[in-house]
Amino acid sequence: VVTTLLTNAIDTGIIDSAIVSQAETEVPIKPKALVGVVPDDIFAAVGSKFFPSSVARAYGSAVYEYGKGNIAFVGVPCHVLALRKLEAWEHRISGNLKVIIGLFCFWTLSFGSMLKYLKEKYNLDQDDIKRLDIVDKLYVKTDKETIIVPLSEVKPNILTSCETCTDFT
């Protein structure tokens, strides 16, 4: 749904860019922020990300480096809160924000901590992991297998800031 909304908004000129997170090429489970300016950029960001991404910084880049003035932003509640604070403080770049799409979030994982745990417990290197999914457990997909990790093992690797989150929506 998010991809369709963003690509349509770019195609129709409602926005001139979108801040999204896509997977890094070398480490597919690690997200990186992207200033998407064409639909293909948006398609590159499809899928859930479970680690932090510097989308707020990318918003600044869209304004200052790319010169964009009609920006859409996609992020989890803490990212959206950061942008709402810019608006409340009437920061000079807050007027460039035209659309915010908030994603539902329970928590974000600590990249280093979670990967260290997966290496120690399951002998998985970050390069082996192709995809993560969280349903009732963490599903770690490699080229050879899917390892199922109970959420009780995942919880110690949640960012501490997520423990005090007051709005998951």
Side-chain angles (χ1 to χ4, degrees):
V1 171
V2 172
T3 302
T4 301
L5 290 170
L6 293 175
T7 54
N8 181 273
I10 285 178
D11 285 341
T12 59
I14 295 169
I15 60 172
D16 57 15
S17 58
I19 308 304
V20 294
S21 291
Q22 74 176 94
E24 282 192 0
T25 307
E26 306 80 36
V27 184
I29 60 167
K30 186 174 185 184
K32 68 176 180 178
L34 170 72
V35 179
V37 295
V38 295
D40 283 349
D41 293 338
I42 307 306
F43 287 116
V46 171
S48 296
K49 315 300 185 287
F50 301 102
F51 298 110
S53 176
S54 57
V55 289
R57 181 178 297 152
Y59 176 69
S61 294
V63 175
Y64 293 121
E65 295 172 31
Y66 291 79
K68 299 301 179 182
N70 295 308
I71 303 168
F73 182 89
V74 179
V76 293
C78 54
H79 296 144
V80 171
L81 178 62
L83 290 181
R84 293 297 188 205
K85 285 182 180 180
L86 284 177
E87 289 178 327
W89 296 332
E90 298 178 358
H91 191 281
R92 65 179 179 220
I93 66 171
S94 64
N96 297 53
L97 186 61
K98 301 303 177 203
V99 176
I100 293 178
I101 299 175
L103 303 172
F104 191 76
C105 179
F106 274 118
W107 29 256
T108 300
L109 299 171
S110 168
F111 188 75
S113 172
M114 190 70 223
L115 290 181
K116 180 180 176 190
Y117 180 79
L118 292 173
K119 176 67 174 167
E120 290 171 358
K121 173 97 185 212
Y122 297 97
N123 198 30
L124 283 174
D125 289 317
Q126 71 180 19
D127 298 337
D128 297 332
I129 303 170
K130 302 303 177 200
R131 182 180 168 100
L132 297 175
D133 285 312
I134 298 175
V135 184
D136 56 336
K137 296 172 178 64
L138 173 65
Y139 296 85
V140 183
K141 298 179 183 189
T142 69
D143 283 334
K144 299 176 186 174
E145 63 184 328
T146 298
I147 296 169
I148 300 172
V149 181
L151 290 181
S152 60
E153 294 179 23
V154 173
K155 288 186 179 186
N157 301 291
I158 295 172
L159 291 175
T160 55
S161 57
C162 295
E163 295 172 11
T164 59
C165 181
T166 59
D167 185 359
F168 297 113
T169 60

